[in-house]
């Protein structure tokens, strides 16, 4: 993860979904812009039961 994103997984979920809704067309663009590791985000949010849905552009 990077310093711009929270370590708490529920906070991370909230931040990522808000950014995806308001600023980014997809998870790849978010990760590239923030310098975040996509796999780390997917793994962290997957560990609390969420997965990325590209059609909805959010973790559900």
């Amino acid at each position: 993860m990077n310093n711009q994103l929270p370590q708490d997984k529920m906070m991370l979920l909230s931040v990522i979904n808000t950014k995806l809704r308001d600023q980014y067309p997809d998870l790849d663009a978010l990760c590239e812009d923030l310098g975040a590791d996509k796999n780390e985000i997917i793994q962290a949010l997957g560990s609390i039961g969420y997965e990325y849905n590209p059609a909805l552009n959010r973790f559900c």
Side-chain angles (χ1 to χ4, degrees), residues 40-55:
E40 284 183 18
I41 292 172
I42 290 171
Q43 183 178 12
L45 297 180
S47 74
I48 58 170
Y50 289 84
E51 65 180 54
Y52 181 64
N53 182 324

Side-chain angles (χ1 to χ4, degrees), residues 2 6-7 10 15 18 20 27-28 30 33 37-38 40 49-52 54 56-58:
N2 72 14
Q7 298 301 310
M10 291 306 292
V15 168
T18 299
L20 287 170
L27 184 58
D28 289 323
L30 180 147
D33 189 46
D37 185 298
K38 179 179 175 181
E40 284 183 18
Y50 289 84
E51 65 180 54
Y52 181 64
L56 298 176
N57 192 33
R58 64 175 299 177

